[in-house]
């Protein structure tokens, strides 16, 4: 798994192990903390096979793939922040497309040819119909979205050129929540731009109140509506996708969502209920590029893979808060120790 130390990758790792696979993680830790490997070992009771590598290092990647004799690759590694991609588009193209091309070249050279790819609902650009089916028109509204769309197109050309490839393209809607153990979750709360970490920041009263972008959308309450999917459901979808590729050798392209939308205000209320905290927010103007509603048609994933999300918004909020609080404990212990002169700060690192 590339990017296996990240938010979604760590959850996929656990599901793979549970399903009987022997996953290996490749990651450069540009957006993750090696300490997460200890959490994975604690959850699974097994040592983690992890190689620190940048995917763009083609020769090193080929060597790792050749040595590992893998049945398939799950490619999650990418930069993922939309606002950051607007500031640094070339870094996004370099990392996300450079990493993908390097991976494809290495797999062409030494195998395997089964690949599950982390795509995103962002490839639908401004959706033309709702809920969004997989054959809807594609587009992009920011450089991050461009890299996901271009990656899908590159993989389509690769599969057309060589039928030995089996590629599962998974278009995630809005992953949220955390593992039931509370030991892993979405990181880091400070800089993440997704809604859940932003709400978490507000719940912890860290920084300015949550900015709620747009209250005049044509939705139930005027705030944007999204299809949130629990990260453990999402992780299970990867196992189903990989199994399908290995079983029949044919590719697929599916949405991973619930088919049910929640508005930003609904999420704020659900998170406040789960955490017992006030979530201070202030209304800000709409952000350019944001769409009013984005909800998956999940029928194809169910038909092709037998995938169906089972966890709801409440479970996402509870698990996210649980992971956050567990990660906060060492931080608060550090702060308390620092407040007492002469006491060394504990060495434990926060996971979030
Ligand atoms: N989280 C979301 O909301 C969301 C939504 C849709 C799609 N996705 C996609 O899912 C995938 C995983 O997302 P995530 O939320 O787990 O992100 P993440 O940042 O938590 O994890 C990505 C991991 O990839 C690693 N990585 C990045 N570039 C690398 C490189 N060149 N070489 C090796 N490792 C590299 C990072 O260190 C990190 O551990 C990404 O492709 C992302 O675009 C995420």
């Amino acid at each position: 798994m590339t990017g296996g130390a990240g938010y979604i990758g760590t959850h996929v790792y656990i599901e793979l192990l549970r399903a009987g696979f022997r996953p290996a993680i490749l990651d450069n830790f540009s957006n993750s903390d090696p300490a997460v490997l200890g959490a994975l070992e604690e959850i699974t009771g097994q040592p983690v096979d992890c190689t620190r590598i940048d995917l763009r290092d083609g020769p090193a990647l080929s060597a790792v793939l050749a040595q590992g004799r893998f049945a398939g690759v799950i490619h999650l590694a990418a930069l993922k922040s939309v606002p950051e991609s607007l500031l640094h588009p070339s870094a996004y193209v370099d990392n996300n497309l450079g990493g993908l091309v390097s991976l494809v070249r290495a797999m062409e050279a030494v195998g395997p040819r089964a690949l599950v790819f982390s795509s995103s609902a962002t490839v639908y650009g401004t959706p033309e119909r709702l809920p969004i089916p997989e054959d809807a028109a594609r587009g992009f509204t920011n450089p991050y979205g461009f890299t996901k769309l271009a990656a899908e197109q590159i993989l389509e050309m690769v599969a057309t050129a060589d039928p030995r490839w089996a590629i599962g393209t998974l278009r995630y809607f809005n992953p949220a929540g955390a593992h039931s153990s509370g030991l892993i979750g979405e990181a880091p709360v400070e800089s993440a731009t997704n809604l859940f970490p932003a709400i978490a920041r507000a719940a912890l009263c860290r920084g300015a109140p949550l900015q709620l972008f747009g209250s005049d959308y044509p939705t139930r309450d005027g705030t944007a509506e999204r299809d949130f999917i629990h990260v453990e459901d999402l992780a299970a979808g990867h196992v189903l996708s990989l199994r399908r590729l290995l079983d029949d050798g044919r590719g697929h392209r599916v949405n991973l969502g619930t088919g049910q939308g929640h508005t930003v205000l609904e999420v704020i209320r659900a998170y406040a209920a789960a955490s017992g905290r006030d979530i201070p927010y202030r209304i800000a103007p709409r952000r350019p590029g944001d769409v009013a509603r984005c909800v998956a048609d999940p029928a194809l994933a169910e038909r092709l893979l037998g995938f169906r999300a089972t966890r709801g918004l409440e479970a996402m909020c509870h698990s996210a808060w649980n992971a956050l609080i567990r990660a906060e404990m060492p931080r608060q212990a550090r702060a308390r120790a620092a407040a007492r002169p002469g006491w060394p700060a504990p060495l434990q690192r926060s996971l979030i």
Side-chain angles (χ1 to χ4, degrees), residues 24-86:
I25 291 176
L26 312 184
D27 207 297
N28 66 358
F29 296 103
S30 57
N31 196 39
S32 48
D33 186 335
V36 81
L37 304 177
L40 287 180
E41 295 190 347
E42 198 175 329
I43 293 167
T44 63
Q46 298 191 35
V48 175
D49 178 351
C50 176
T51 306
R52 184 189 282 260
I53 186 174
D54 192 301
L55 289 188
R56 291 163 292 180
D57 182 347
L61 184 58
S62 295
V64 173
L65 289 184
Q67 227 171 24
R69 299 172 183 275
F70 299 108
V73 173
I74 300 184
H75 176 46
L76 300 121
L79 300 176
K80 63 168 179 179
S81 160
V82 169
E84 188 183 63
S85 78
L86 287 160

Short mmCIF file of all heavy atoms in Angstrom, two decimals, residues 24-86:
data_model
loop_
_atom_site.label_atom_id
_atom_site.label_comp_id
_atom_site.label_asym_id
_atom_site.label_seq_id
_atom_site.Cartn_x
_atom_site.Cartn_y
_atom_site.Cartn_z
N ALA A 24 1.91 -4.47 3.16
CA ALA A 24 3.16 -3.75 3.45
C ALA A 24 2.92 -2.29 3.12
O ALA A 24 2.26 -1.97 2.13
CB ALA A 24 4.29 -4.31 2.60
N ILE A 25 3.45 -1.42 3.96
CA ILE A 25 3.23 0.03 3.79
C ILE A 25 4.46 0.67 3.15
O ILE A 25 5.59 0.43 3.57
CB ILE A 25 2.96 0.67 5.17
CG1 ILE A 25 1.61 0.21 5.71
CG2 ILE A 25 3.05 2.20 5.09
CD1 ILE A 25 1.29 0.72 7.12
N LEU A 26 4.21 1.48 2.11
CA LEU A 26 5.26 2.33 1.53
C LEU A 26 4.82 3.77 1.76
O LEU A 26 3.72 4.15 1.36
CB LEU A 26 5.42 2.09 0.03
CG LEU A 26 5.52 0.64 -0.47
CD1 LEU A 26 5.77 0.62 -1.98
CD2 LEU A 26 6.63 -0.09 0.24
N ASP A 27 5.68 4.56 2.38
CA ASP A 27 5.26 5.94 2.69
C ASP A 27 6.52 6.80 2.88
O ASP A 27 7.53 6.32 3.38
CB ASP A 27 4.43 5.96 3.99
CG ASP A 27 3.45 7.13 4.03
OD1 ASP A 27 3.91 8.30 4.04
OD2 ASP A 27 2.23 6.90 4.05
N ASN A 28 6.42 8.06 2.49
CA ASN A 28 7.56 8.96 2.75
C ASN A 28 7.32 9.83 4.00
O ASN A 28 8.14 10.68 4.32
CB ASN A 28 7.85 9.86 1.53
CG ASN A 28 6.74 10.84 1.24
OD1 ASN A 28 5.70 10.85 1.93
ND2 ASN A 28 6.92 11.65 0.22
N PHE A 29 6.19 9.63 4.66
CA PHE A 29 5.83 10.34 5.89
C PHE A 29 5.80 11.86 5.70
O PHE A 29 6.03 12.61 6.63
CB PHE A 29 6.75 9.95 7.05
CG PHE A 29 6.61 8.50 7.41
CD1 PHE A 29 7.56 7.57 7.01
CD2 PHE A 29 5.50 8.04 8.11
CE1 PHE A 29 7.41 6.22 7.29
CE2 PHE A 29 5.34 6.70 8.40
CZ PHE A 29 6.29 5.78 8.00
N SER A 30 5.50 12.30 4.47
CA SER A 30 5.41 13.75 4.25
C SER A 30 4.14 14.29 4.93
O SER A 30 4.07 15.47 5.25
CB SER A 30 5.38 14.07 2.76
OG SER A 30 4.31 13.40 2.14
N ASN A 31 3.13 13.45 5.11
CA ASN A 31 1.93 13.92 5.81
C ASN A 31 1.46 12.88 6.83
O ASN A 31 0.26 12.68 7.01
CB ASN A 31 0.81 14.23 4.80
CG ASN A 31 -0.27 15.07 5.43
OD1 ASN A 31 0.02 15.97 6.22
ND2 ASN A 31 -1.52 14.78 5.13
N SER A 32 2.39 12.23 7.46
CA SER A 32 2.02 11.26 8.50
C SER A 32 3.21 11.14 9.45
O SER A 32 4.32 11.58 9.14
CB SER A 32 1.66 9.90 7.89
OG SER A 32 2.63 9.51 6.95
N ASP A 33 2.93 10.49 10.58
CA ASP A 33 3.92 10.40 11.64
C ASP A 33 4.29 8.93 11.81
O ASP A 33 3.39 8.09 11.98
CB ASP A 33 3.28 10.95 12.93
CG ASP A 33 4.26 11.03 14.08
OD1 ASP A 33 5.25 10.27 14.08
OD2 ASP A 33 4.02 11.85 14.99
N PRO A 34 5.58 8.59 11.77
CA PRO A 34 5.95 7.18 11.96
C PRO A 34 5.40 6.58 13.25
O PRO A 34 5.25 5.36 13.35
CB PRO A 34 7.49 7.21 11.98
CG PRO A 34 7.87 8.48 11.30
CD PRO A 34 6.74 9.45 11.52
N ALA A 35 5.05 7.43 14.23
CA ALA A 35 4.49 6.91 15.48
C ALA A 35 3.20 6.14 15.23
O ALA A 35 2.80 5.30 16.05
CB ALA A 35 4.23 8.06 16.45
N VAL A 36 2.55 6.40 14.10
CA VAL A 36 1.29 5.71 13.82
C VAL A 36 1.52 4.20 13.63
O VAL A 36 0.61 3.39 13.84
CB VAL A 36 0.61 6.34 12.57
CG1 VAL A 36 1.21 5.81 11.27
CG2 VAL A 36 -0.88 6.12 12.59
N LEU A 37 2.74 3.84 13.28
CA LEU A 37 3.03 2.41 13.08
C LEU A 37 2.91 1.67 14.41
O LEU A 37 2.44 0.53 14.45
CB LEU A 37 4.43 2.22 12.48
CG LEU A 37 4.69 2.97 11.16
CD1 LEU A 37 6.12 2.75 10.70
CD2 LEU A 37 3.70 2.52 10.08
N GLY A 38 3.31 2.33 15.50
CA GLY A 38 3.17 1.73 16.84
C GLY A 38 1.70 1.52 17.17
O GLY A 38 1.32 0.50 17.75
N ALA A 39 0.86 2.48 16.78
CA ALA A 39 -0.58 2.34 17.02
C ALA A 39 -1.13 1.16 16.23
O ALA A 39 -1.96 0.39 16.72
CB ALA A 39 -1.29 3.63 16.64
N LEU A 40 -0.66 1.00 14.99
CA LEU A 40 -1.13 -0.14 14.17
C LEU A 40 -0.72 -1.46 14.82
O LEU A 40 -1.49 -2.43 14.82
CB LEU A 40 -0.56 -0.05 12.75
CG LEU A 40 -1.17 1.03 11.85
CD1 LEU A 40 -0.51 1.01 10.47
CD2 LEU A 40 -2.68 0.83 11.71
N GLU A 41 0.49 -1.48 15.36
CA GLU A 41 0.94 -2.72 16.01
C GLU A 41 0.10 -3.01 17.24
O GLU A 41 -0.25 -4.16 17.52
CB GLU A 41 2.43 -2.61 16.36
CG GLU A 41 3.25 -2.52 15.09
CD GLU A 41 4.76 -2.65 15.29
OE1 GLU A 41 5.22 -2.57 16.44
OE2 GLU A 41 5.45 -2.83 14.28
N GLU A 42 -0.25 -1.95 17.96
CA GLU A 42 -1.08 -2.13 19.16
C GLU A 42 -2.47 -2.65 18.78
O GLU A 42 -3.01 -3.55 19.44
CB GLU A 42 -1.19 -0.78 19.89
CG GLU A 42 -1.63 -0.94 21.33
CD GLU A 42 -1.62 0.40 22.06
OE1 GLU A 42 -0.80 1.28 21.73
OE2 GLU A 42 -2.46 0.56 22.97
N ILE A 43 -3.02 -2.12 17.71
CA ILE A 43 -4.37 -2.53 17.31
C ILE A 43 -4.37 -3.96 16.79
O ILE A 43 -5.25 -4.75 17.11
CB ILE A 43 -4.93 -1.56 16.23
CG1 ILE A 43 -5.14 -0.17 16.82
CG2 ILE A 43 -6.22 -2.10 15.62
CD1 ILE A 43 -5.39 0.91 15.79
N THR A 44 -3.36 -4.29 15.97
CA THR A 44 -3.40 -5.59 15.27
C THR A 44 -2.63 -6.68 16.01
O THR A 44 -2.79 -7.86 15.70
CB THR A 44 -2.79 -5.46 13.86
OG1 THR A 44 -1.40 -5.08 14.00
CG2 THR A 44 -3.50 -4.40 13.04
N GLY A 45 -1.74 -6.28 16.95
CA GLY A 45 -0.93 -7.26 17.65
C GLY A 45 0.15 -7.88 16.77
O GLY A 45 0.68 -8.94 17.07
N GLN A 46 0.46 -7.22 15.65
CA GLN A 46 1.47 -7.78 14.74
C GLN A 46 2.44 -6.68 14.30
O GLN A 46 2.04 -5.52 14.19
CB GLN A 46 0.79 -8.33 13.49
CG GLN A 46 -0.15 -9.45 13.81
CD GLN A 46 -0.61 -10.16 12.55
OE1 GLN A 46 0.16 -10.30 11.61
NE2 GLN A 46 -1.85 -10.60 12.54
N PRO A 47 3.70 -7.05 14.02
CA PRO A 47 4.64 -6.03 13.55
C PRO A 47 4.23 -5.51 12.17
O PRO A 47 3.65 -6.25 11.37
CB PRO A 47 5.98 -6.79 13.45
CG PRO A 47 5.63 -8.24 13.51
CD PRO A 47 4.29 -8.38 14.13
N VAL A 48 4.50 -4.24 11.93
CA VAL A 48 4.12 -3.63 10.65
C VAL A 48 5.30 -3.68 9.69
O VAL A 48 6.43 -3.34 10.07
CB VAL A 48 3.70 -2.16 10.86
CG1 VAL A 48 3.41 -1.48 9.53
CG2 VAL A 48 2.48 -2.08 11.76
N ASP A 49 5.02 -4.10 8.47
CA ASP A 49 6.04 -4.10 7.42
C ASP A 49 5.95 -2.74 6.71
O ASP A 49 4.98 -2.48 6.00
CB ASP A 49 5.73 -5.25 6.46
CG ASP A 49 6.69 -5.32 5.28
OD1 ASP A 49 7.48 -4.38 5.10
OD2 ASP A 49 6.62 -6.31 4.54
N CYS A 50 6.92 -1.88 6.96
CA CYS A 50 6.84 -0.53 6.38
C CYS A 50 8.19 -0.11 5.81
O CYS A 50 9.23 -0.31 6.43
CB CYS A 50 6.41 0.48 7.46
SG CYS A 50 6.40 2.18 6.87
N THR A 51 8.17 0.46 4.61
CA THR A 51 9.38 0.99 3.99
C THR A 51 9.20 2.48 3.78
O THR A 51 8.20 2.92 3.20
CB THR A 51 9.63 0.33 2.62
OG1 THR A 51 9.65 -1.07 2.79
CG2 THR A 51 10.94 0.81 2.00
N ARG A 52 10.16 3.28 4.27
CA ARG A 52 10.11 4.72 4.02
C ARG A 52 10.66 4.97 2.61
O ARG A 52 11.83 4.69 2.33
CB ARG A 52 10.96 5.47 5.04
CG ARG A 52 10.86 6.99 4.87
CD ARG A 52 11.87 7.69 5.75
NE ARG A 52 11.46 7.76 7.13
CZ ARG A 52 10.91 8.83 7.70
NH1 ARG A 52 10.71 9.92 7.00
NH2 ARG A 52 10.59 8.81 8.98
N ILE A 53 9.82 5.45 1.74
CA ILE A 53 10.24 5.65 0.35
C ILE A 53 9.38 6.74 -0.27
O ILE A 53 8.19 6.86 0.06
CB ILE A 53 10.08 4.32 -0.44
CG1 ILE A 53 10.64 4.44 -1.84
CG2 ILE A 53 8.65 3.85 -0.50
CD1 ILE A 53 10.64 3.13 -2.62
N ASP A 54 9.98 7.54 -1.14
CA ASP A 54 9.20 8.46 -1.94
C ASP A 54 8.90 7.76 -3.26
O ASP A 54 9.82 7.27 -3.92
CB ASP A 54 9.96 9.77 -2.19
CG ASP A 54 9.04 10.83 -2.78
OD1 ASP A 54 8.47 10.58 -3.87
OD2 ASP A 54 8.86 11.88 -2.15
N LEU A 55 7.62 7.72 -3.61
CA LEU A 55 7.22 6.96 -4.81
C LEU A 55 7.91 7.44 -6.07
O LEU A 55 8.03 6.70 -7.04
CB LEU A 55 5.71 7.12 -5.04
CG LEU A 55 4.78 6.43 -4.07
CD1 LEU A 55 3.37 6.53 -4.57
CD2 LEU A 55 5.19 4.98 -3.90
N ARG A 56 8.32 8.68 -6.05
CA ARG A 56 8.96 9.22 -7.27
C ARG A 56 10.36 8.69 -7.47
O ARG A 56 10.97 8.92 -8.51
CB ARG A 56 8.95 10.75 -7.23
CG ARG A 56 7.54 11.31 -7.37
CD ARG A 56 7.45 12.75 -6.92
NE ARG A 56 7.65 12.87 -5.47
CZ ARG A 56 7.61 14.01 -4.81
NH1 ARG A 56 7.40 15.13 -5.46
NH2 ARG A 56 7.79 14.03 -3.50
N ASP A 57 10.88 7.96 -6.48
CA ASP A 57 12.19 7.32 -6.62
C ASP A 57 11.97 5.98 -7.31
O ASP A 57 11.81 4.93 -6.68
CB ASP A 57 12.81 7.15 -5.22
CG ASP A 57 14.20 6.54 -5.27
OD1 ASP A 57 14.59 6.02 -6.34
OD2 ASP A 57 14.89 6.58 -4.24
N GLY A 58 11.95 6.01 -8.65
CA GLY A 58 11.59 4.83 -9.45
C GLY A 58 12.43 3.59 -9.16
O GLY A 58 11.88 2.51 -8.90
N PRO A 59 13.78 3.69 -9.20
CA PRO A 59 14.59 2.49 -8.97
C PRO A 59 14.34 1.87 -7.60
O PRO A 59 14.20 0.65 -7.47
CB PRO A 59 16.03 3.01 -9.10
CG PRO A 59 15.92 4.25 -9.93
CD PRO A 59 14.58 4.85 -9.63
N ALA A 60 14.24 2.73 -6.56
CA ALA A 60 14.01 2.19 -5.21
C ALA A 60 12.64 1.51 -5.15
O ALA A 60 12.48 0.44 -4.55
CB ALA A 60 14.09 3.32 -4.18
N LEU A 61 11.66 2.11 -5.82
CA LEU A 61 10.31 1.55 -5.81
C LEU A 61 10.28 0.19 -6.51
O LEU A 61 9.69 -0.78 -6.01
CB LEU A 61 9.37 2.54 -6.51
CG LEU A 61 7.89 2.19 -6.53
CD1 LEU A 61 7.35 2.02 -5.11
CD2 LEU A 61 7.11 3.29 -7.26
N SER A 62 10.94 0.10 -7.66
CA SER A 62 11.00 -1.19 -8.39
C SER A 62 11.63 -2.26 -7.51
O SER A 62 11.17 -3.40 -7.48
CB SER A 62 11.81 -1.06 -9.69
OG SER A 62 11.15 -0.20 -10.56
N ALA A 63 12.69 -1.86 -6.79
CA ALA A 63 13.38 -2.84 -5.94
C ALA A 63 12.44 -3.35 -4.84
O ALA A 63 12.37 -4.56 -4.60
CB ALA A 63 14.63 -2.21 -5.32
N VAL A 64 11.68 -2.43 -4.23
CA VAL A 64 10.76 -2.85 -3.15
C VAL A 64 9.67 -3.76 -3.72
O VAL A 64 9.33 -4.80 -3.14
CB VAL A 64 10.11 -1.61 -2.47
CG1 VAL A 64 9.04 -2.04 -1.48
CG2 VAL A 64 11.16 -0.78 -1.77
N LEU A 65 9.12 -3.39 -4.87
CA LEU A 65 8.05 -4.21 -5.45
C LEU A 65 8.56 -5.58 -5.86
O LEU A 65 7.90 -6.60 -5.66
CB LEU A 65 7.44 -3.50 -6.67
CG LEU A 65 6.59 -2.26 -6.40
CD1 LEU A 65 5.98 -1.74 -7.69
CD2 LEU A 65 5.47 -2.57 -5.40
N ALA A 66 9.76 -5.61 -6.45
CA ALA A 66 10.32 -6.89 -6.90
C ALA A 66 10.56 -7.81 -5.70
O ALA A 66 10.26 -9.00 -5.75
CB ALA A 66 11.62 -6.65 -7.66
N GLN A 67 11.06 -7.23 -4.64
CA GLN A 67 11.37 -8.02 -3.44
C GLN A 67 10.11 -8.56 -2.77
O GLN A 67 10.08 -9.69 -2.30
CB GLN A 67 12.06 -7.11 -2.44
CG GLN A 67 13.30 -7.69 -1.82
CD GLN A 67 14.00 -6.59 -1.03
OE1 GLN A 67 13.37 -5.61 -0.59
NE2 GLN A 67 15.29 -6.74 -0.84
N GLY A 68 9.05 -7.74 -2.77
CA GLY A 68 7.85 -8.08 -1.99
C GLY A 68 6.97 -9.12 -2.63
O GLY A 68 6.17 -9.75 -1.95
N ARG A 69 7.07 -9.33 -3.94
CA ARG A 69 6.20 -10.28 -4.67
C ARG A 69 4.74 -10.09 -4.28
O ARG A 69 4.07 -11.01 -3.80
CB ARG A 69 6.60 -11.72 -4.38
CG ARG A 69 8.00 -12.06 -4.80
CD ARG A 69 8.38 -13.44 -4.29
NE ARG A 69 9.76 -13.74 -4.64
CZ ARG A 69 10.14 -14.25 -5.79
NH1 ARG A 69 9.27 -14.53 -6.72
NH2 ARG A 69 11.42 -14.48 -6.02
N PHE A 70 4.24 -8.87 -4.49
CA PHE A 70 2.89 -8.54 -4.04
C PHE A 70 1.83 -9.02 -5.04
O PHE A 70 2.09 -9.10 -6.25
CB PHE A 70 2.76 -7.02 -3.87
CG PHE A 70 3.71 -6.48 -2.84
CD1 PHE A 70 4.82 -5.73 -3.21
CD2 PHE A 70 3.51 -6.72 -1.49
CE1 PHE A 70 5.71 -5.24 -2.27
CE2 PHE A 70 4.38 -6.24 -0.53
CZ PHE A 70 5.49 -5.50 -0.92
N ALA A 71 0.63 -9.32 -4.53
CA ALA A 71 -0.49 -9.70 -5.40
C ALA A 71 -1.11 -8.46 -6.04
O ALA A 71 -1.61 -8.51 -7.17
CB ALA A 71 -1.54 -10.44 -4.59
N GLY A 72 -1.08 -7.36 -5.33
CA GLY A 72 -1.68 -6.13 -5.84
C GLY A 72 -1.18 -4.93 -5.07
O GLY A 72 -0.52 -5.08 -4.04
N VAL A 73 -1.48 -3.75 -5.60
CA VAL A 73 -1.06 -2.51 -4.94
C VAL A 73 -2.30 -1.65 -4.69
O VAL A 73 -3.16 -1.54 -5.57
CB VAL A 73 -0.05 -1.73 -5.82
CG1 VAL A 73 0.24 -0.36 -5.21
CG2 VAL A 73 1.23 -2.51 -6.00
N ILE A 74 -2.38 -1.07 -3.51
CA ILE A 74 -3.41 -0.06 -3.24
C ILE A 74 -2.69 1.27 -3.16
O ILE A 74 -1.81 1.46 -2.31
CB ILE A 74 -4.17 -0.37 -1.92
CG1 ILE A 74 -4.86 -1.73 -2.05
CG2 ILE A 74 -5.18 0.73 -1.62
CD1 ILE A 74 -5.73 -2.13 -0.87
N HIS A 75 -3.02 2.16 -4.07
CA HIS A 75 -2.26 3.41 -4.22
C HIS A 75 -3.04 4.57 -3.60
O HIS A 75 -3.93 5.15 -4.22
CB HIS A 75 -1.99 3.67 -5.69
CG HIS A 75 -1.29 4.97 -5.94
ND1 HIS A 75 -0.20 5.40 -5.22
CD2 HIS A 75 -1.53 5.96 -6.85
CE1 HIS A 75 0.19 6.58 -5.65
NE2 HIS A 75 -0.61 6.95 -6.64
N LEU A 76 -2.64 4.91 -2.36
CA LEU A 76 -3.30 6.02 -1.65
C LEU A 76 -2.44 7.27 -1.60
O LEU A 76 -2.95 8.36 -1.33
CB LEU A 76 -3.62 5.60 -0.21
CG LEU A 76 -4.53 4.39 0.00
CD1 LEU A 76 -3.81 3.32 0.79
CD2 LEU A 76 -5.81 4.77 0.69
N ALA A 77 -1.13 7.13 -1.79
CA ALA A 77 -0.21 8.25 -1.55
C ALA A 77 -0.52 9.43 -2.47
O ALA A 77 -0.55 9.28 -3.69
CB ALA A 77 1.22 7.79 -1.77
N ALA A 78 -0.77 10.55 -1.86
CA ALA A 78 -1.00 11.79 -2.63
C ALA A 78 -1.04 12.95 -1.65
O ALA A 78 -1.24 12.76 -0.45
CB ALA A 78 -2.33 11.71 -3.38
N LEU A 79 -0.84 14.15 -2.19
CA LEU A 79 -1.16 15.36 -1.42
C LEU A 79 -2.64 15.63 -1.64
O LEU A 79 -3.15 15.42 -2.74
CB LEU A 79 -0.31 16.54 -1.90
CG LEU A 79 1.21 16.35 -1.79
CD1 LEU A 79 1.95 17.54 -2.40
CD2 LEU A 79 1.62 16.17 -0.32
N LYS A 80 -3.35 16.14 -0.61
CA LYS A 80 -4.81 16.13 -0.72
C LYS A 80 -5.52 17.42 -0.35
O LYS A 80 -6.74 17.44 -0.25
CB LYS A 80 -5.36 15.01 0.15
CG LYS A 80 -5.05 15.22 1.64
CD LYS A 80 -5.82 14.29 2.54
CE LYS A 80 -5.47 14.53 3.99
NZ LYS A 80 -6.17 13.70 4.93
N SER A 81 -4.78 18.49 -0.10
CA SER A 81 -5.45 19.72 0.34
C SER A 81 -5.79 20.62 -0.85
O SER A 81 -4.90 21.06 -1.58
CB SER A 81 -4.55 20.47 1.33
OG SER A 81 -4.96 21.82 1.41
N VAL A 82 -7.08 20.90 -1.01
CA VAL A 82 -7.50 21.75 -2.13
C VAL A 82 -6.89 23.16 -2.01
O VAL A 82 -6.28 23.66 -2.97
CB VAL A 82 -9.05 21.80 -2.22
CG1 VAL A 82 -9.50 22.89 -3.19
CG2 VAL A 82 -9.59 20.44 -2.64
N PRO A 83 -7.02 23.84 -0.84
CA PRO A 83 -6.44 25.19 -0.76
C PRO A 83 -4.93 25.20 -1.01
O PRO A 83 -4.41 26.08 -1.70
CB PRO A 83 -6.73 25.62 0.68
CG PRO A 83 -7.80 24.72 1.18
CD PRO A 83 -7.73 23.46 0.40
N GLU A 84 -4.23 24.17 -0.48
CA GLU A 84 -2.78 24.11 -0.70
C GLU A 84 -2.46 23.92 -2.19
O GLU A 84 -1.51 24.48 -2.73
CB GLU A 84 -2.21 22.95 0.12
CG GLU A 84 -0.71 22.89 0.16
CD GLU A 84 -0.22 21.67 0.94
OE1 GLU A 84 -0.49 20.53 0.52
OE2 GLU A 84 0.42 21.87 1.97
N SER A 85 -3.31 23.13 -2.86
CA SER A 85 -3.05 22.87 -4.28
C SER A 85 -3.22 24.14 -5.12
O SER A 85 -2.59 24.30 -6.15
CB SER A 85 -3.96 21.75 -4.79
OG SER A 85 -5.28 22.21 -5.04
N LEU A 86 -4.10 25.04 -4.64
CA LEU A 86 -4.27 26.31 -5.37
C LEU A 86 -3.02 27.18 -5.24
O LEU A 86 -2.67 27.93 -6.15
CB LEU A 86 -5.49 27.07 -4.82
CG LEU A 86 -6.84 26.45 -5.20
CD1 LEU A 86 -7.95 26.93 -4.27
CD2 LEU A 86 -7.19 26.79 -6.65
#
